[in-house]
Every structure is written in C-alpha cells, then in structure tokens.
Amino acid sequence: MEVDYTWVTSSDNVPVQKLEQHFRESFESVSPEYYIKVPGRVNLIGEHVDYCGYSVFPMAIDQCIVVAAKRTTDRHTVELTNLCTERYENVSKNISDINAESLSKSPSWSNYFMCGVIGAREYLNKNQLKAVENIGFLFAITGNIPESSGLSSSSALVTAAVMATLIGYGVPISRLELAEISAKCERYIGTAGGGMDQAIAVNAKRGYAARIDFNPLAVKQFRLPDDAKFVVAQSLAVKNKAASNDFNTRVVECRLASQVIAKQLNLEWKQMTVLATLQKSLDNTLDQMIELVHQHLHVDKYSKSEVCEILSVSKDQLDELSLTANTTDVTEFFLHQRALHVFEEAKRMEEFCKLCENFGAASDLGKLMDDSHSSLRDLYQCSHPDLEELVAFCKREGAYGCKLTGAGWGGCVVAMVSSDVTERFVRSVRDQYYANRETCGKHIDQLVFATSPSEGACCIHVK
Ligand code: ADP
Ligand code: NG1
Ligand code: MG
C-alpha cells in the first residue's frame, strides 16, 4: 500500500514512515487505514486567561502529534503503542472499561489518549453508540512537540485521540465542536484548563495567528507583522501540569477572586465561577474591573477560613462549590494578584490585536509581551529561574519582546525579533545560551527554532 507522506513534510523530524513500520510490527503486520496530525501551539499573548473566559492569541507550530489508526471488528479494545520513547508503554484496554473517573488518578501518556477516546464516545447518541459497539481500534502514536514545555503537547495528543476515534466511527463533527469536546475531555486528566490549546490546534490556518474568544467559541485569523519573527526556546525545565496542583490552584484563585468580589457587591456569588462572568454581569470595562480588584481584594494572602467567612460557607461547602479535587488542601490564596494579572493581561491581549490590525510597530507589540511576562512572574508567580535567565538572554540579544508561553513553571519562551536578524538571534541562543547547559541529549534544533504559523489538524486516509 502506497502512503503519500507529503502532508507531514513541513513537520521536520516526524518519522511517519517509521510510524507505519512500527504500526505493522506492533499489530500483526496490518497497515494503518488513516492518519491524524494535530499541531502544538505557541501563545503570543493572553496567558492564563482562557479559563477565566478571556480571549487569547496563539498560533499553531510545525511540531505535531501524528496518530496512525485502524479499526478492528473482532475485539472491543483500544490498543496503543508509542514510537516516541520507551517510557511510553504499550496499553490495551477494553473500551467499556475506560471511564472518566479513573483517568485523573495518573497523568500517564495513555490516560491523556483515553480522555480523547471517552470525549469522542460522549459525543455519540445512543443509536450511534449501538452502531459502533463492535468497533475497536489499533493506534500508533509519534510526535515532536517537546512535552511538558508549554507548547501544548497534551492537547495535541488528546485532540488527535478524539479525531481518530470519531473518524473511525464515521461520525462527522464541526471544527468548533471538535475543539470544545477536546477541551472538555482533557479535563478528565485533572487539569481545569481553558480551551485555547484545542481551539487553535483544530482551527489554525497556515500563515495566520488567531484570536480565540470563548463563550461562545469563535476564531478570527490574524496576519502577523512582516518585519517580525517569533522564536521559541526551551528553558530546559519541564512541568507536567497534571502532576501537581499548581495549575489548578491558579484556576481556583481566580474563581475565588471573582466570588469574593461578587459577594461584597451583593451579587449571586455562586454563579461567578469565572472572572469574565463577573465582568459581564456588572457590564464593566476592564479598567473598572481593575479598580474593583484594588477596592475589594487585599494584597496579603487569604486563608481558607477567611474566604469561608467572607462567603459565609463551611470548608466542606467551599470545597464543593469552588475548589477542585486536588486543591481542597490548599491553605492560602493570593486573590488580588491573580485577578489583577487576568484583567491586565486581557487588556494587553486586546491592545496586541489592535496593533496587529493596524500594522502597529513591532516594538510596541514586544513591549506588551514583556509586560505580560513580568506579570506572569510577579503577580501570577508561574515563572522559573531558568525561564528568567532565558528571557534576560533573549532581551540582551535584541528581542523586541519575550515571555514564557503556555502555563509556565518551566517550559518555553517565545521571543519576537526583527525578521532581518532572526538567523543571527537563533544562532546566539544556540551557541551561547545552551553552550554550557545540560541539554539532556535533546537536538539543538528542538531547543530553539524560528516558527511561523502552521496549519491546523488534518486527517489523511490511506488510498
Ligand atoms: P504541555 O505543555 O506539553 O501540554 P502537559 O503537562 O500539559 O504539557 O502534558 C504533558 C504530557 O502529555 C506528558 O507528560 C505526556 O503524558 C503527554 N504527552 C505529550 N507528548 C506526548 C507524546 N508524543 N506521546 C505520548 N504522550 C505525550
Ligand atoms: P499548557 O502549558 O500547554 O498545558 C495550559 C492550558 C491552557 C492555558 C495555558 C496558560 C490546558 C490543556 N492548557 O497550557 O488552557 O490556560 O496553560 O495560558 O489546560
Ligand atoms: Mg498541556
């Protein structure tokens, strides 16, 4: 059987030919029927605001997850094998044994994939489920998105799993719906994320960054300035977001900030689960929301008892109403700082979009990225010493702006540099920044690379 590999040629180093071979070796010499490719992303601005209901500005990158797939009719199992590393063990599960509750127990690679399988099955109605009851799957996975580095390897994997399952079942879905169900089912792993990663992975267009709005989900394509390029570099510190409660603590702090302000304003505070809902119900501007933060949230940390007292609830009630399963033991919350970051970052995102629309100066865009990073470090406290060193290096080398991208606590930075000097810039990071650092055997081209907006997810059927 002939496979046309040209659809992945833009994704350097994705060994699709090897994947096909690995598939055949793993699954009794049968060949894949179809392939799914889903890209990672870099977020230019609007960091840690999607789960508060605010808009973001990411673009897809060339690095991607690729799944080779075949349906089976003689067994009702999902069989997984992964070419990336031996750490990712083979897994075989009966489809009826996969359930959402068990997935948050461990953020293993296969559990991310199973989130997608469940997400796809939840999309089916009863009749459709009955019609596919004898279908099982063989899946082989590879990819080159640096994992746990803020480039959204997790969402590319989950979204690919949703697509691979729905396509196998022959169930059509719109791109917006696909993004929404992929975001929902990734939460089964335990992280209470927003929908940025899945929305861009599915809706990206080559050559465009996108502004993504939520509630309802909407995607608007944006041209980036011609005179600037974006360079991604790894700090070498990794952070799996589902392995600690740091990410969810931020989500919860934003929720509590919203509810504490709402209570003080005599609003229905239980409904104010995200900051954007509070803003909407007050019909306020972002500047007015910033004012409210200063008026109603103190800078010192809040204890859990203090939050309970303000909201007039017991600790158990607070756990139930506002916290996630892995944040019930958190004892202190920084509400002022987190809410201030979100409202100011939402403003920066709006300014960034306006500048892109009006062909604004690259230096002004860069300044917004710098301010975003400072806020993530100082107010949101999700930077890392290695990220700080890398940001400082990029700024010294002349980047217009530089910030951490994704959730932080490690992972990558994105630097905006003049198109004329991109090659020189990448060379300096490569030759000077990484020269004396332990790079854990990673290829230098994976550590730092210039990137331009890539295409969203696609499926290729083998002829
Ligand atoms: P990211 O910022 O990359 O999205 P996350 O902490 O959200 O980081 O998710 C990282 C996890 O996603 C990894 O620990 C692994 O379980 C899974 N993952 C990422 N890439 C792959 C891959 N190529 N194959 C299998 N699992 C992967
Ligand atoms: P990463 O770091 O790529 O896992 C996470 C969230 C995003 C967003 C960013 C911060 C998930 C799946 N992803 O991305 O929704 O909140 O952090 O802007 O939860
Ligand atoms: Mg992720």
Side-chain angles (χ1 to χ4, degrees):
M1 197 172 307
E2 278 295 296
V3 182
D4 172 10
Y5 294 109
T6 52
W7 57 280
V8 276
T9 49
S10 60
S11 316
D12 290 342
N13 306 321
V14 180
V16 178
Q17 238 147 330
K18 265 200 204 150
L19 182 66
E20 187 193 3
Q21 195 185 331
H22 182 73
F23 190 100
R24 276 202 252 99
E25 284 165 9
S26 309
F27 301 128
E28 299 149 13
S29 301
V30 297
S31 293
E33 284 178 293
Y34 55 99
Y35 291 85
I36 309 292
K37 172 182 148 180
V38 181
R41 61 100 189 94
V42 55
N43 189 24
L44 303 181
I45 200 146
E47 216 63 85
H48 281 286
V49 298
D50 59 348
Y51 52 78
C52 298
Y54 289 105
S55 309
V56 293
F57 199 78
M59 67 192 206
I61 55 177
D62 277 346
Q63 285 79 352
C64 58
I65 293 281
V66 177
V67 177
K70 182 170 175 61
R71 285 165 299 174
T72 58
T73 46
D74 57 342
R75 57 208 130 151
H76 194 55
T77 52
V78 176
E79 297 185 30
L80 302 180
T81 182
N82 195 311
L83 187 58
C84 296
T85 148
E86 281 171 6
R87 278 188 292 118
Y88 293 154
E89 74 290 358
N90 292 349
V91 167
S92 171
K93 271 224 163 118
N94 201 303
I95 294 189
S96 28
D97 293 343
I98 309 168
N99 62 78
E101 295 73 55
S102 65
L103 296 175
S104 63
K105 296 206 173 94
S106 145
S108 65
W109 85 272
S110 55
N111 276 355
Y112 282 91
F113 198 95
M114 296 305 182
C115 286
V117 174
I118 297 190
R121 286 174 62 77
E122 285 174 348
Y123 183 68
L124 271 52
N125 62 35
K126 267 197 184 142
N127 290 340
Q128 287 171 320
L129 269 177
K130 180 113 191 70
V132 302
E133 89 188 336
N134 292 321
I135 297 180
F137 290 98
L138 306 176
F139 293 126
I141 291 103
T142 192
N144 62 350
I145 308 171
E147 63 169 75
S148 303
S149 298
L151 299 181
S152 200
S153 66
S154 64
S155 306
L157 183 65
V158 173
T159 306
V162 175
M163 284 177 75
T165 310
L166 284 179
I167 287 166
Y169 284 157
V171 174
I173 186 167
S174 73
R175 284 188 180 259
L176 287 181
E177 272 181 308
L178 174 60
E180 281 187 321
I181 67 167
S182 302
K184 177 171 171 244
C185 69
E186 185 166 346
R187 295 189 191 112
Y188 295 147
I189 206 72
T191 42
M196 158 168 68
D197 306 346
Q198 302 82 357
I200 188 68
V202 167
N203 292 288
K205 289 240 176 310
R206 182 166 302 285
Y208 294 86
R211 176 199 167 114
I212 295 171
D213 302 327
F214 301 97
N215 310 310
L217 183 61
V219 180
K220 187 175 171 202
Q221 310 293 340
F222 269 76
R223 279 278 185 206
L224 291 169
D226 291 333
D227 52 345
K229 275 248 176 295
F230 292 91
V231 173
V232 174
Q234 292 192 47
S235 70
L236 298 169
V238 289
K239 175 80 176 178
N240 178 288
K241 267 65 75 176
S244 78
N245 67 2
D246 292 332
F247 184 86
N248 280 1
T249 300
R250 295 295 177 273
V251 176
V252 155
E253 287 173 316
C254 291
R255 178 172 306 146
L256 293 178
S258 174
Q259 294 180 323
V260 165
I261 297 176
K263 172 80 178 176
Q264 293 178 40
L265 297 176
N266 291 319
L267 299 171
E268 288 287 337
W269 68 267
K270 288 179 191 162
Q271 290 166 20
M272 304 300 164
T273 51
V274 295
L275 288 162
T277 308
L278 176 66
Q279 184 188 359
K280 208 167 172 197
S281 69
L282 291 166
D283 199 17
N284 271 355
T285 62
L286 284 168
D287 281 326
Q288 287 170 320
M289 295 311 289
I290 291 168
E291 242 340 273
L292 284 184
V293 171
H294 291 298
Q295 281 168 9
H296 293 283
L297 298 175
H298 59 66
V299 174
D300 289 345
K301 65 187 177 205
Y302 285 73
S303 67
K304 190 165 176 177
S305 329
E306 184 183 0
V307 173
C308 288
E309 206 171 298
I310 295 169
L311 298 177
S312 312
V313 289
S314 69
K315 286 187 178 170
D316 286 347
Q317 285 170 319
L318 192 75
D319 291 351
E320 180 73 28
L321 287 165
S322 309
L323 305 188
T324 61
N326 67 349
T327 53
T328 53
D329 290 339
V330 177
T331 52
E332 47 189 51
F333 303 96
F334 290 87
L335 306 190
H336 179 102
Q337 293 82 341
R338 311 311 185 220
L340 191 57
H341 164 78
V342 170
F343 293 131
E344 290 183 344
E345 182 75 356
K347 264 187 79 176
R348 281 187 287 270
M349 208 291 316
E350 295 296 343
E351 284 172 46
F352 198 94
C353 283
K354 255 190 223 134
L355 283 168
C356 285
E357 270 172 336
N358 300 324
F359 307 100
S363 54
D364 291 342
L365 290 167
K367 164 93 173 50
L368 290 169
M369 291 172 72
D370 287 343
D371 292 347
S372 169
H373 182 78
S374 306
S375 178
L376 289 160
R377 179 191 59 220
D378 301 334
L379 293 177
Y380 226 67
Q381 295 180 295
C382 64
S383 189
H384 183 282
D386 296 354
L387 277 170
E388 291 309 311
E389 268 188 53
L390 184 52
V391 167
F393 182 89
C394 291
K395 288 298 293 177
R396 279 200 303 277
E397 286 300 307
Y400 287 126
C402 186
K403 63 179 273 295
L404 69 83
T405 189
W409 293 285
C412 291
V413 303
V414 54
M416 185 181 182
V417 299
S418 163
S419 311
D420 308 336
V421 304
T422 312
E423 271 177 43
R424 183 199 56 73
F425 182 88
V426 170
R427 231 182 3 256
S428 316
V429 180
R430 200 177 59 198
D431 298 345
Q432 294 173 45
Y433 186 79
Y434 294 115
N436 299 315
R437 287 183 164 80
E438 174 47 66
T439 54
C440 308
K442 287 182 183 157
H443 194 276
I444 195 76
D445 295 339
Q446 296 175 319
L447 294 176
V448 53
F449 51 90
T451 186
S452 44
S454 194
E455 187 69 26
C458 67
C459 168
I460 306 293
H461 283 270
V462 177
K463 283 164 235 137

